[in-house]
Amino acid sequence: MITLAWYNIVAIVVGIAFIIWFVKDANEGDYGPIPTGGCLPFICGVLFYLIWGGIFWW
């Protein structure tokens, strides 16, 4: 039986939010001096999972 702890639920919900943010930003397109597109949400998502995984690494 698979059990999900609260920190796994949080990681899944935040992961879905980052995917939605990434798709939204990538579709809008950033035409400023540095066209980042979906770069910021991707970097934020990776940093979140590195920090979140580090907090709950036993």
Side-chain angles (χ1 to χ4, degrees):
M1 181 174 165
I2 297 174
T3 57
L4 290 175
W6 68 269
Y7 47 86
N8 291 334
I9 303 289
V10 171
I12 291 168
V13 169
V14 172
I16 291 170
F18 276 119
I19 289 170
I20 292 169
W21 183 24
F22 176 77
V23 169
K24 184 176 123 348
D25 277 6
N27 286 338
E28 286 179 1
D30 186 4
Y31 299 109
I34 302 172
T36 56
C39 186
L40 180 63
F42 180 75
I43 291 171
C44 289
V46 169
L47 286 176
F48 170 77
Y49 280 111
L50 287 175
I51 294 168
W52 193 253
I55 289 172
F56 295 106
W57 185 261
W58 301 104

